[in-house]
Amino acid sequence: MNTLESRNTLRRSFRNARNLLSRQQQQKASQAILDQTKQFLPPAVKRVALYLANDGEPDLSLLIKHCWQHGMATSLPVLHPVTKKHLLMLDYTAHTKMQTNRFGIAEPALDCQAIRLLSEHDVVFMPLVGFDKKGNRLGMGGGFYDRTLSKVAEQKNRPRLIGIAHDCQQADSLPIQPWDVPLDAIITPTLIIQT
Ligand SMILES: Nc1ncnc2c1ncn2[C@@H]1O[C@H](COP(=O)(O)OP(=O)(O)OP(=O)(O)O)[C@@H](O)[C@H]1O
Ligand SMILES: [Mg+2]
């Protein structure tokens, strides 16, 4: 099997596993992930990017509420309207008008005033399909996060990049490619892997 095939086989297996989690397991995971993420959100953190769960991903609603209650601004990724396969970060509040994108995922309706630069974020929490103990990340396969974050390592004030996953998404070892953006940490309900 070549690397692409093995990455796709792993993707199928982890997506299947997380979609089989019960509602109760998902709720437990959300609470545990909230507890685990708090240490990455000291008072100095002003803006956090996160995601709305899709395809069995850990639900970050509790984390979003936590941010709002503690005065942290939040952003959500939006499919870039111009640059193919890139994401834009848009401010997200309780009043943000939402729409559904072509993947069926809810995202803030495009509003130029709401665009936030990556450098304005202290932390970017992102979903993943698979991870390993070295902190390597396998995404859904579109390369959206990899493209969007490809220059982030060169920035002076760059956000911390943190992957969020269920425990059942851990691989022994992932076949990683040169374009895969390295993460600073991966958080699951029971693990914190710092690279
Ligand atoms: N910085 C980049 N510039 C150009 N193409 C890229 C870049 N990063 C990734 N790609 C391309 O995107 C495709 C998918 O990449 P990959 O398999 O790593 O996706 P992924 O990490 O699973 O997805 P995502 O980043 O959306 O979570 C690959 O064909 C890869 O060549
Ligand atoms: Mg990748």
Side-chain angles (χ1 to χ4, degrees):
M1 222 191 294
N2 66 30
T3 305
L4 180 62
E5 284 168 350
S6 72
R7 279 161 72 98
N8 284 338
T9 303
L10 286 168
R11 282 188 179 103
R12 265 195 299 279
S13 138
F14 292 130
R15 290 181 63 185
N16 190 43
R18 73 183 181 189
N19 275 297
L20 288 173
L21 295 171
S22 66
R23 186 189 290 253
Q24 209 176 12
Q25 286 171 311
Q26 282 284 1
Q27 283 171 353
K28 222 177 133 198
S30 288
Q31 182 60 52
I33 285 170
L34 170 65
D35 296 339
Q36 299 265 68
T37 47
K38 280 180 186 167
Q39 65 174 278
F40 293 90
L41 299 171
V45 168
K46 299 286 177 259
R47 177 169 290 276
V48 177
L50 11 74
Y51 64 86
L52 297 184
N54 169 54
D55 191 53
E57 291 163 352
D59 183 342
L60 299 188
S61 306
L62 294 176
L63 177 56
I64 294 172
K65 238 180 245 159
H66 172 87
C67 290
W68 291 350
Q69 282 166 354
H70 290 80
M72 290 175 247
T74 54
S75 305
L76 287 177
V78 169
L79 297 180
H80 201 295
V82 180
T83 317
K84 262 193 173 171
K85 295 201 165 186
H86 279 70
L87 302 169
L88 263 183
M89 291 300 175
L90 258 70
D91 188 40
Y92 176 57
T93 72
H95 309 290
T96 298
K97 189 169 164 252
M98 303 296 285
Q99 64 184 23
T100 305
N101 69 23
R102 65 187 154 91
F103 296 111
I105 303 172
E107 60 175 34
L110 206 55
D111 166 8
C112 292
Q113 304 286 336
I115 296 172
R116 298 290 177 273
L117 300 176
L118 272 172
S119 56
E120 292 178 69
H121 298 82
D122 302 292
V123 185
V124 175
F125 290 114
M126 74 191 82
L128 55 82
V129 173
F131 68 96
D132 66 16
K133 59 178 183 302
K134 289 187 186 155
N136 292 318
R137 170 183 186 272
L138 184 69
M140 289 282 262
F144 287 83
Y145 278 97
D146 285 326
R147 285 186 184 82
T148 306
L149 299 170
S150 63
K151 302 266 179 342
V152 106
E154 300 158 20
Q155 286 178 9
K156 197 158 158 258
N157 286 319
R158 69 174 193 87
R160 284 178 106 174
L161 306 180
I162 303 182
I164 303 285
H166 292 289
D167 289 301
C168 63
Q169 293 173 242
Q170 182 165 13
D172 291 335
S173 164
L174 281 177
I176 283 309
Q177 298 291 345
W179 58 78
D180 286 322
V181 168
L183 301 185
D184 298 296
I186 288 173
I187 296 177
T188 76
T190 67
L191 290 173
I192 296 179
I193 297 169
Q194 300 211 53
T195 60

